[in-house]
Amino acid sequence: MFEPWRGGTSTVTTGYRRGVSADPSQRAVEVRRSARRRRTVSAYREGDRTVVLIPARMSEAEERRWVGVMLDKLAAQESRRTLGDAELTERAERLSEQYFGGRARPRSVRWVGNQNTRWGSCTPAEASIRLSDRLQGMPEYVVDYVLLHELAHLLVPGHGPRFWELLEAYPRTERARGYLEGASASGRLPKVPAARDE
């Protein structure tokens, strides 16, 4: 899954490299270990790669866990900075084109602050989609999943087999559902709708 990377810095440096992709969540990841770093972990974007800085004493399992945590944090920060209602609408249109052949055509997509029991909602008759503002700051792939979930309702109203077949096209469905279930379990956020196999 990851390949070692060796860097030329004065600190102990190891890391991982994934294939670089146009999708920011699939950028190359470089992990730099430092003997001077005791407890903190940080990350930043550097061109087409993400650099994660960790203490040298950290185990490989801790390193893998922290890489995932830091990638999610960076994605959340970027999502917070960039997605207003206009960008959300553009994103929904791109997702519809990519996963549903452009068949789901929302007239409006916007953030709302009054959805405490759901992540998003859709009114097919008006072709309007509303996402809970509690999603703001979550990783992009999670927001994309919720957008796709609501876009799918423009094509199929309920949560039957045809609906879930549409969502199977999105490769990060299970990961996003897991993230949302974790957030729901914390008691702060809405429950995730059950998938067809549950």
Side-chain angles (χ1 to χ4, degrees), residues 85 88 108-123 126 128-136 138 146-147 149-150 153 180 184 187-191 193:
D85 287 351
L88 202 57
S108 71
V109 183
R110 61 190 173 95
W111 296 108
V112 294
N114 62 353
Q115 292 197 23
N116 298 319
T117 60
R118 57 179 68 180
W119 296 107
S121 61
C122 172
T123 306
E126 298 172 5
S128 64
I129 293 173
R130 293 157 306 281
L131 295 189
S132 170
D133 61 3
R134 293 179 184 212
L135 288 165
Q136 290 176 329
M138 289 189 182
V146 177
L147 274 172
H149 185 105
E150 301 310 328
H153 280 308
L180 292 171
S184 296
R188 310 180 283 118
L189 299 167
K191 190 175 180 205

Side-chain angles (χ1 to χ4, degrees), residues 79-104:
S79 179
R80 258 196 312 274
R81 281 196 303 265
T82 59
L83 286 182
D85 287 351
E87 291 88 2
L88 202 57
T89 300
E90 289 173 16
R91 192 170 188 158
E93 290 168 356
R94 280 195 313 270
L95 288 167
S96 174
E97 191 62 43
Q98 183 175 358
Y99 294 101
F100 303 145
R103 291 180 297 135

Side-chain angles (χ1 to χ4, degrees), residues 14 16 28 46 49-50 82 84 102 121 139 155 171-173 175 184 192:
T14 61
Y16 300 100
E46 186 178 83
R49 80 177 69 196
T50 302
T82 59
S121 61
L155 303 173
R172 302 184 94 180
T173 291
R175 184 174 181 196
S184 296
V192 181

Side-chain angles (χ1 to χ4, degrees), residues 15-146:
Y16 300 100
R17 177 176 293 283
R18 291 196 282 198
V20 178
S21 143
D23 178 359
S25 64
Q26 299 299 318
R27 297 177 188 191
V29 176
E30 174 187 330
V31 175
R32 295 181 187 166
R33 291 177 172 265
S34 170
R36 288 180 288 190
R37 188 174 283 270
R38 297 285 177 216
R39 284 180 274 215
T40 61
V41 176
S42 61
Y44 60 91
R45 303 287 193 206
E46 186 178 83
D48 65 350
R49 80 177 69 196
T50 302
V51 177
V52 181
L53 307 170
I54 65 170
R57 63 174 173 70
M58 204 173 262
S59 72
E60 286 185 26
E62 290 174 308
E63 180 179 316
R64 280 191 298 276
R65 184 178 74 81
W66 275 105
V67 165
V69 166
M70 298 312 289
L71 288 175
D72 284 348
K73 274 189 171 185
L74 283 173
Q77 290 169 355
E78 290 164 355
S79 179
R80 258 196 312 274
R81 281 196 303 265
T82 59
L83 286 182
D85 287 351
E87 291 88 2
L88 202 57
T89 300
E90 289 173 16
R91 192 170 188 158
E93 290 168 356
R94 280 195 313 270
L95 288 167
S96 174
E97 191 62 43
Q98 183 175 358
Y99 294 101
F100 303 145
R103 291 180 297 135
R105 300 182 186 277
R107 285 192 200 111
S108 71
V109 183
R110 61 190 173 95
W111 296 108
V112 294
N114 62 353
Q115 292 197 23
N116 298 319
T117 60
R118 57 179 68 180
W119 296 107
S121 61
C122 172
T123 306
E126 298 172 5
S128 64
I129 293 173
R130 293 157 306 281
L131 295 189
S132 170
D133 61 3
R134 293 179 184 212
L135 288 165
Q136 290 176 329
M138 289 189 182
E140 288 181 3
Y141 71 90
V142 174
V143 176
D144 285 352
Y145 166 74
V146 177

